[in-house]
Amino acid sequence: MTPRLFWACLKQAIRRDLQFRSQTAINAFSSIGDLVLGVVPVLILTGAGGTDWTGPLAVVVVGIFGISTGLMDCFVRPNLAKMHAYVRQGDLDLILIRPVDAQLFATLRWMEPAELGRVLSGAAMVAVGLHVADVRPGLGLVLQAAAWAAIGFAGFSLLWANLAYSAFWFESADPVNEIASQLREAGKYPISYFTGAARLVLMTLVPAGLVAAVPVETLTGDASPLLLAIPALAAGVLLTKLHWQLASRRYSSASS
């Protein structure tokens, strides 16, 4: 998908939301409310022991989680949720015949700008949490934390895409979006709360821990090296492209 096409899809999504302003406002406030209420269980768990994270840092984790998931739910989730319908109803035909990268177009075609309200509320939570925790990271740590958040965002989006592609292989793939959403929820908790195999999985196969927890650890000075994460992400991109190619070859169009 070229930047020009991406911009055209974004403008179309904004126009659509402006036509249904009341519903867009409801969706935006609901999204922000879910993020704010999501702080409560995190504060309860971190305050009950098992981790040395303070309340303000837990708020920062939830804030960064809100920024990442707000972007994901705006640009990625709407399309992956439609993948089952694309395959079962033949809508994928209209995507495959376009002179663009079909995989990117199928992943980023629909957008929900109302979800970006969670990005703003998440940024506010990050600013307040860092101030209360008296954490003032330097520019280097901020950039490294942003890199980890971007890797977590991309990594989990790739995982979600591969789950959504199960629509090509199974009769019903509707539950996979709920599964992906539940797996993602683990990302709003400090990674230090998890131990052993659970922590390893959240740092690798299901990279929900990279979405927010690792970036906050980086902001506090407990930085993790990026050397292994970047090639791992590149391998994930290649495997996802291969999965799409194999799945699309198996696809039988509605007109065939």
Side-chain angles (χ1 to χ4, degrees):
M1 176 179 285
T2 64
R4 183 177 178 181
L5 182 57
F6 178 85
W7 177 241
C9 291
L10 180 58
K11 289 193 296 184
Q12 183 182 37
I14 294 173
R15 292 194 198 101
R16 185 177 62 249
D17 278 5
L18 290 176
Q19 291 177 351
F20 303 95
R21 288 183 291 273
S22 59
Q23 185 61 46
T24 300
I26 291 173
N27 292 341
F29 285 121
S30 175
S31 179
I32 294 172
D34 286 343
L35 178 63
V36 174
L37 292 175
V39 176
V40 177
V42 178
L43 292 177
I44 292 174
L45 287 174
T46 55
T51 175
D52 55 0
W53 283 57
T54 61
L57 288 180
V59 171
V60 177
V61 174
V62 177
I64 295 180
F65 177 81
I67 295 172
S68 297
T69 57
L71 292 171
M72 198 179 298
D73 288 350
C74 174
F75 298 109
V76 179
R77 178 175 182 166
N79 299 278
L80 298 181
K82 296 177 184 290
M83 192 62 66
H84 178 78
Y86 285 165
V87 176
R88 293 290 166 261
Q89 299 175 14
D91 295 341
L92 190 62
D93 294 0
L94 300 176
I95 295 176
L96 293 175
I97 63 175
R98 294 177 181 269
V100 294
D101 187 308
Q103 184 178 17
L104 279 177
F105 191 60
T107 305
L108 299 171
R109 179 186 182 190
W110 294 101
M111 303 176 188
E112 296 184 2
E115 297 292 343
L116 295 178
R118 203 186 319 162
V119 176
L120 298 177
S121 57
M125 292 173 65
V126 171
V128 172
L130 289 176
H131 177 74
V132 174
D134 196 26
V135 175
R136 295 177 176 81
L139 179 60
L141 289 180
V142 171
L143 293 176
Q144 191 170 350
W148 272 117
I151 290 172
F153 174 91
F156 198 89
S157 296
L158 291 173
L159 170 66
W160 199 333
N162 282 281
L163 291 175
Y165 295 164
S166 63
F168 289 94
W169 307 97
F170 301 103
E171 290 297 324
S172 177
D174 282 339
V176 299
N177 293 299
E178 183 62 29
I179 293 172
S181 296
Q182 293 301 321
L183 289 173
R184 192 179 66 174
E185 284 297 300
K188 69 181 181 183
Y189 298 95
I191 198 66
S192 58
Y193 190 80
F194 301 94
T195 57
R199 180 168 183 165
L200 178 63
V201 169
L202 291 174
M203 297 280 284
T204 54
L205 297 178
V206 183
L210 305 182
V211 171
V214 171
V216 174
E217 284 189 340
T218 302
L219 289 175
T220 59
D222 189 12
S224 300
L226 292 164
L227 296 179
L228 294 178
I230 295 175
L233 181 62
V237 171
L238 293 176
L239 288 174
T240 304
K241 289 185 71 67
L242 177 61
H243 189 183
W244 171 266
Q245 292 171 358
L246 293 174
S248 58
R249 288 174 187 169
R250 191 175 188 275
Y251 171 70
S252 296
S253 72
S255 59
S256 62

